[in-house]
Structure formats: C-alpha cells, structure tokens
Amino acid sequence: MFSAKGLGMRSVNVAIIVTALLLLLTGMPFTSANAQGFLQQLLVQHQLREIHINFAGTDRIYYIYDPTDHNQKKLYPLVIGLHGTLGTGPNFAQQSHFNKLAKQNNFIVVYPDAGDKQWNDGRFPDDKTDDAGFIAAMIDQLVDTAPVNPKRIYITGVSNGGMFTQMLACQLADRVAAFASVIGNLPKFLVPECHPSQPVPIMLINGDHDAIVPYDGGTIPTLGNSQYGGGTVISVPDTIDFWLRNNGCTLPPQSVTTALKDVDQEDDSTVVTNRFSGCPENGEVLAYTVVNGGHAWPGMERPRYRKKDVVINQDIHAENEIWAFFSRHQL
C-alpha cells in the first residue's frame, strides 16, 4: 500500500526525538516547534519528498530526491542512502551531499528511515526487525512507480547504515549492482550467516582511529544508557578478507596500494586505497583507509557539536568516490 500523506503519529514522535537530540547537540534550544521546523527545513532545503509504505503492517518512511530529466524513454540509476544510529533520512541527505551528485549525474536517490532509529544490521541475532525486507519492498515500490533502472540500483550507508549495507549485500546480491560501506565493519554474528547468491562489488571506507566502530574489531560502545549501539564486529582487514573470499578473488590477495594526495594538510589525516587484483569483473573489492581518521563521513562539514579531536578527513568526499565506484557496475 503506497501513500504520500503526512507523517503518522508514531513517526512524528520518532522524528521529534531525533531532531531534539540534533538541536541540543548544535546548541539550539529545543521546543516542539523547533523540532518540527528543523525537520521541515531539511525537507525543503534538500528538496525531499516524503513517502510512506505499509510494510508488514507498519508504516515505514523514505525520502526521495529525483532531479532526473524525466525522459519517458529512459530509466535512471537509483542510490539508496542509509543513515547511522539515531539518524534520519534527511540528516543523511545533509551529511552525504548525494543530492548534488544526483543532479549532476542524472540519478535518483532515496533515504529511508530505520524503524526504531537503528537498523537491524546483524549484530543482534535476537532482533527480528525485518529492515532488509523493508528495503526490498521499497525497491519493488520504486521500480514500479519511478523511472528506476533495475540493473543500476546501489546501496551505501554510514556507521550502523554501513553495517546494514553489508547485511543487504548478503541478502540482495541479485538485485543490487554494488554496495559501499562507510565507517562500518562486518558484524561478527553475520559472518556465518552471510551467503550472497553471487559475487558482490563492494567498497569499504574506514578510519583506522575510529573510536566507535573499532578498526581492529571488537565491541561497539552503547550510547549512554540507551538501547542503541553495542554488539561486536570483526576487524576491517577481516572484513576485506571476507568479501575477497566471497567474491572468489585470488588468494592470498594481491593489491595495489596508493596514497592519495594530502589535499587538506590541516585535517590531521590522509587516505590510502587498496585495489585488489584477481577478482572477477562483477566482484570488485575496493578499500579506503583514512589514516588517523575517526568516526566520520570523509568530506562532511564539521558540525559545531563534534569534538575537535574527532578527525574528519577533507582530502576526499566519500560520495564522489562512491559514485565513481558505483558507475563501474551494473547487473
């Protein structure tokens, strides 16, 4: 059931809670009017249209930005952007700058909301929330109602959204052309459960000084006394190795390591890429390491609430690197 009506009551409450946190973190006074206004400001600023879909008896929401030229004879690529814990679709639109790329390159981008402010990304085996089913249903809806090219659908995400991206790579390999995970490792409990139906083109961007999702693997801290965060992930090198093995790449892996230009010498970080040879054409694995990088989307503007000791790399813009990777792949 498809609806483009206003927010349901539960969705409004969730949005207000998340927006309240953002207002407090940015130093703005919280009122209900401010929270509503901030959310609406994001929708207007990023030209997002709010869409509701009934999935498994639950009202789920995603936001669409469609700058395409609407040529009735054409179908366009679709990028799905997944926010992190306590985020929202509009927040990720602001963080990632994918709308600008979409306008420049004539593709559609959508930003879904997690049902309870955190995606079920495989860290907790007892979590039965079917977020993967929601994403699959959303793709069905978009292919049916928008000019989406089903051979050029891509998924990317940050932090919890990055881990969820990898979970979706396990389950939707035959429907999604490529995946990109940013500051998210493979969840430990997902490793024995992940059996993609075919090789998966995947790009990984991680900071080697990430204090939230540890580069060397281990436990993710919870957010205060809340239910959010937590769980265990494998290391970034083990995550890369998992995808190399899954894709049937030559082992031991052979890679070309490149140090990218240190464009911003004041951001306290640099970027190194590893391009792996010996992988099938439809199984490219590409890894970016932000040396001294923290838990941040490379290229994002520094919010006022972010501590100065959290390094945000400015040598690359993650969205540009991701789109260049996606552009090489289709089903």
Side-chain angles (χ1 to χ4, degrees):
M1 191 76 171
F2 177 83
S3 169
K5 295 182 179 179
L7 284 164
M9 216 36 211
R10 178 179 181 280
S11 300
V12 169
N13 291 336
V14 169
I16 289 176
I17 291 170
V18 173
T19 306
L21 290 170
L22 291 170
L23 288 170
L24 290 171
L25 289 170
T26 53
M28 295 175 63
F30 169 69
T31 65
S32 178
N34 273 354
Q36 290 276 23
F38 188 69
L39 180 63
Q40 291 304 313
Q41 178 183 337
L42 289 178
L43 297 184
V44 172
Q45 178 182 350
H46 300 290
Q47 300 177 22
L48 299 172
R49 186 160 54 97
E50 183 181 292
I51 306 296
H52 290 236
I53 182 171
N54 188 317
F55 174 71
T58 302
D59 181 42
R60 300 296 299 262
I61 301 170
Y62 63 92
Y63 304 85
I64 185 169
Y65 175 70
D66 180 4
T68 60
D69 53 22
H70 296 279
N71 184 329
Q72 294 184 354
K73 297 181 180 180
K74 292 177 63 177
L75 296 176
Y76 302 92
L78 170 68
V79 172
I80 299 169
L82 304 172
H83 64 74
T85 296
L86 290 179
T88 66
N91 298 143
F92 188 55
Q94 183 173 36
Q95 178 185 36
S96 67
H97 302 290
F98 262 111
N99 285 11
K100 180 180 178 180
L101 270 182
K103 187 173 184 179
Q104 291 172 345
N105 294 278
N106 218 23
F107 65 84
I108 299 168
V109 58
V110 298
Y111 306 95
D113 276 354
D116 191 24
K117 303 186 286 296
Q118 178 166 279
W119 301 105
N120 177 9
D121 57 22
R123 279 178 285 165
F124 306 103
D126 293 334
D127 188 347
K128 304 304 179 185
T129 306
D130 189 11
D131 282 324
F134 160 54
I135 298 300
M138 183 188 72
I139 290 173
D140 289 339
Q141 180 71 66
L142 287 163
V143 170
D144 288 344
T145 62
V148 169
N149 183 345
K151 294 184 179 297
R152 296 198 65 194
I153 297 173
Y154 310 101
I155 297 180
T156 185
V158 63
S159 190
N160 166 228
M163 290 180 274
F164 185 42
T165 293
Q166 295 190 57
M167 182 179 183
L168 292 172
C170 300
Q171 300 187 18
L172 300 179
D174 60 337
R175 302 197 61 190
V176 177
F179 301 82
S181 169
V182 181
I183 54 175
N185 309 6
L186 192 66
K188 178 180 178 181
F189 287 116
L190 194 57
V191 174
E193 304 296 328
C194 181
H195 304 289
S197 59
Q198 59 193 50
V200 175
I202 190 163
M203 177 180 181
L204 304 164
I205 302 177
N206 295 87
D208 65 2
H209 279 62
D210 192 324
I212 305 298
V213 181
Y215 186 89
D216 293 327
T219 302
I220 294 174
T222 55
L223 302 179
N225 296 321
S226 74
Q227 67 192 46
Y228 302 107
T232 305
V233 294
I234 65 174
S235 70
V236 172
D238 286 346
T239 298
I240 295 170
D241 184 71
F242 175 89
W243 290 112
L244 289 170
R245 292 177 182 276
N246 172 81
N247 288 359
C249 302
T250 301
L251 297 174
Q254 302 294 318
S255 69
V256 175
T257 301
T258 304
L260 301 187
K261 184 178 180 180
D262 189 8
V263 176
D264 187 337
Q265 297 184 8
E266 297 183 358
D267 67 1
D268 298 321
S269 61
T270 56
V271 180
V272 173
T273 66
N274 280 280
R275 298 178 182 273
F276 295 90
S277 59
C279 296
E281 184 177 355
N282 63 337
E284 180 183 4
V285 178
L286 175 60
Y288 281 57
T289 300
V290 181
V291 180
N292 199 44
H295 193 71
W297 180 274
M300 70 178 285
E301 299 170 3
R302 179 181 291 278
R304 282 179 289 171
Y305 67 84
R306 291 300 292 265
K307 295 180 181 178
K308 291 185 178 180
D309 59 357
V310 177
V311 172
I312 304 177
N313 181 268
Q314 299 296 323
D315 299 325
I316 63 170
H317 286 261
E319 66 276 11
N320 292 340
E321 307 300 317
I322 289 168
W323 177 245
F325 176 76
F326 284 168
S327 298
R328 297 198 289 270
H329 298 283
Q330 62 179 349
L331 293 175

